């Protein structure tokens, strides 16, 4: 269907958010509200997407959030927030007469393509389609007024409604579809003669009825889809809903979530079958998790790739790193950007790895810092060993070749190379290359003084 275009209204003030950030840029499930709306619009393949916005910050923030594969967007500025009717009118000149228009709100991020498709199908010549839901607490919303035969006749805004109208529980979600030419005509006839002194888009419903249009209420597949965000309480409700949806997508794909309400997905996640995510897992950015991998409690994965069958134990932070199949990380490990952990390698508790490659089967099990290092396979890095990669001015690399054994408490002062199969004695400070196969030690000899007495101070 390419005979319709989408207009997203995103220029409102959002005063009730009490925030320095425009409302449509508030993040929900890891991306701005408006980015969700654009993604939903894109799924129904309109001929064009127009965004009515106000202020400098919105456009660059949305372009950054959508990234390189963003759809083409027509940005239309609404200089002053004169109401939803004025906002739509700003975008209409760009829409050709023969097309229909689907109007979306930048603060309603949860709509699903199926509901939007039904609206578009109903918003044809001589018809206006309107997305409505019935809610227990309709306060604040526009109410859907019907006549004695049940036909929709008008929308009444909460602040303009009589007590009887306020009792109506069917509300206007604000989402409509109608022919562009008709909308253009109606928008030109709107007035600000109402409680808020604004041009109400909702007044077009009564105009359509007057012209003999059929007004079709469309009900979304689930009422929560149409939840809007006006304050931070509603933002949290929308966040939970979007999270639930993403969690269900993962579970349908064969992922076990110990508790779907205690996993947060704030990015793009691809996960193989039989992946297990424990409670408190947070996934951000682009995350790929291979089949059968398990992620322990309270672990953050950001822009990370976890190989098949790998095990990430509790309380790890893996950021910009790749973990090969069969590796085991944590508990309490931190992998920083540029880290690659090889197959079956082990990174244990309180180990930090940065911009380093750890070869297959190598281990750093306790309390180490490995930064800017190339570590071969089968290497053992003892407890408390560290790479001294920074001289206060520059970073230097450390190379540890296959099969080397680094004793506990060793300091490797980079740039330095430890040869294949070399052993570094515990407690050594290594400032020059250590030859392959040999034992290298650099520590003072231990002495004991026989007739020495400890002095006892007073007190
Ligand atoms: C609107 C509807 C109300 C509906 C509710 C559903 C009107 C008059 N009322 O009320 O019937 O129940 O949504 O959530 O339409 N916007 C602009 N420019 C403006 C004003 C608003 O672009 O001048 C945008 C906002 O950014 C927002 C959307 O339009 O995305 C809705 O505006 P908002 O002020 O939140 O309308 P409500 O009072 O919630
Ligand atoms: Ca609103």
């Amino acid at each position: 269907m390419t005979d319709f275009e989408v207009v997203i209204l995103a220029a409102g003030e959002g005063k009730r958010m009490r925030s320095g950030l425009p409302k449509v840029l508030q993040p929900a499930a890891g991306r701005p509200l408006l980015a969700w709306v654009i993604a939903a619009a894109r799924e129904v393949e309109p001929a064009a997407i127009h965004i009515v916005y106000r202020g400098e910050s919105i456009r660059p923030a949305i372009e950054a959030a959508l990234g390189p594969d963003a759809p083409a967007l027509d940005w239309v500025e609404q200089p002053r927030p004169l109401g939803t009717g004025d906002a739509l009118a700003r975008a209409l000149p760009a829409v050709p007469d023969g097309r229909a228009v689907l109007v979306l709100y930048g603060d309603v991020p949860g709509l699903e393509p199926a509901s939007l498709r039904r609206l578009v199908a109903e918003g044809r010549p001589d018809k206006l389609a309107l997305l409505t839901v019935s809610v227990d607490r309709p306060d604040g919303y526009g109410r859907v007024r019907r006549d004695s035969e049940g036909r929709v006749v008008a929308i009444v805004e909460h602040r303009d409604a009589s007590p009887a109208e306020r009792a109506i529980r069917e509300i206007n979600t604000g989402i409509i579809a109608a022919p562009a030419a008709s909308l253009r005509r109606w928008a030109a006839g709107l007035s600000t003669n109402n409680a808020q002194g604004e041009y109400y888009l909702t007044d077009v419903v009564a105009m359509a009825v007057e012209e003999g249009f059929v007004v079709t209420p469309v009900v979304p597949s689930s009422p929560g889809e149409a939840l809007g965000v006006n304050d931070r309480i509603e933002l949290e409700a929308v966040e939970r809903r979007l999270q639930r949806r993403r969690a269900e997508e993962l579970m349908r794909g064969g992922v076990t979530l110990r508790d779907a309400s205690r996993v947060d997905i704030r990015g793009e996640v691809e996960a193989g079958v039989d992946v297990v995510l424990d409670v408190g897992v947070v996934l951000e950015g682009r995350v790929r998790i291979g089949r059968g991998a398990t992620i322990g409690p309270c672990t953050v994965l950001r822009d990370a790739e976890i190989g098949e069958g790998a095990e990430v134990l509790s309380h790890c932070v893996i950021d910009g790193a790749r973990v090969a199949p069969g590796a085991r990380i944590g508990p309490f490990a931190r992998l920083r950007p540029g880290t690659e952990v090889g197959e079956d390698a082990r990174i244990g508790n309180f180990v930090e790895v940065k911009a380093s490659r750890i070869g297959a089967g190598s281990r750093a099990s306790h309390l180490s810092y490995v930064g800017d290092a190339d570590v071969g396979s089968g290497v053992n890095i003892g407890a408390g060993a560290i790479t001294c990669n920074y001289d206060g001015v520059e970073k230097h690399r450390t190379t540890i070749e296959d099969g080397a054994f680094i004793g506990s408490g060793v300091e490797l002062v980079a740039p330095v190379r430890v040869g294949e199969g070399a052993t570094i004695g515990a407690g050594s400070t290594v400032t020059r290359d250590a030859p392959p196969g040999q034992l290298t030690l650099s520590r003072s000899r231990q002495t004991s003084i026989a007739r020495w007495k400890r002095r006892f101070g007073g007190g």
Side-chain angles (χ1 to χ4, degrees), residues 357 362 370-382 385-388 397-407 410-426 428-442:
R357 194 183 56 80
S362 292
V370 180
D372 302 305
D374 296 294
V375 179
S377 57
V379 168
N380 188 85
I381 296 179
I386 64 169
T387 54
C388 308
R397 293 200 76 84
T398 298
T399 304
I400 304 174
E401 294 181 350
D402 295 349
F405 182 98
I406 312 295
V410 166
E411 288 152 358
L412 298 168
V413 182
V416 73
R417 169 181 296 266
V418 176
E420 188 172 339
T423 300
I424 309 294
S428 296
T429 299
V430 179
T431 54
R432 282 176 289 132
D433 290 356
Q438 300 181 16
L439 169 66
T440 295
L441 281 173
S442 87

Side-chain angles (χ1 to χ4, degrees), residues 9-12 16 23 78 81-84 87 105-107 141-142 155 157 172-173 200 202 230:
L9 308 185
R16 284 168 282 173
K23 178 166 71 176
Q78 186 192 21
L82 300 177
T84 47
Y105 282 10
D107 62 355
Y141 288 100
I155 305 298
E157 286 306 296
N172 168 37
T173 62
Y200 287 173
T202 46
N230 294 305

Side-chain angles (χ1 to χ4, degrees), residues 76-115:
V76 186
E77 200 166 2
Q78 186 192 21
R80 284 183 298 141
L82 300 177
T84 47
D86 177 68
L88 177 64
R90 307 247 158 212
L92 287 177
V95 185
D97 255 347
R99 290 197 167 143
V101 173
L102 170 64
V103 181
L104 303 179
Y105 282 10
D107 62 355
V108 180
L111 288 168
E112 304 212 15
S115 305

Side-chain angles (χ1 to χ4, degrees), residues 38 70 105 170 180 193 199 202 236 350 362 398 435:
I38 294 168
Y105 282 10
E170 187 184 11
N193 186 13
Y199 296 98
T202 46
E236 193 262 359
F350 307 108
S362 292
T398 298

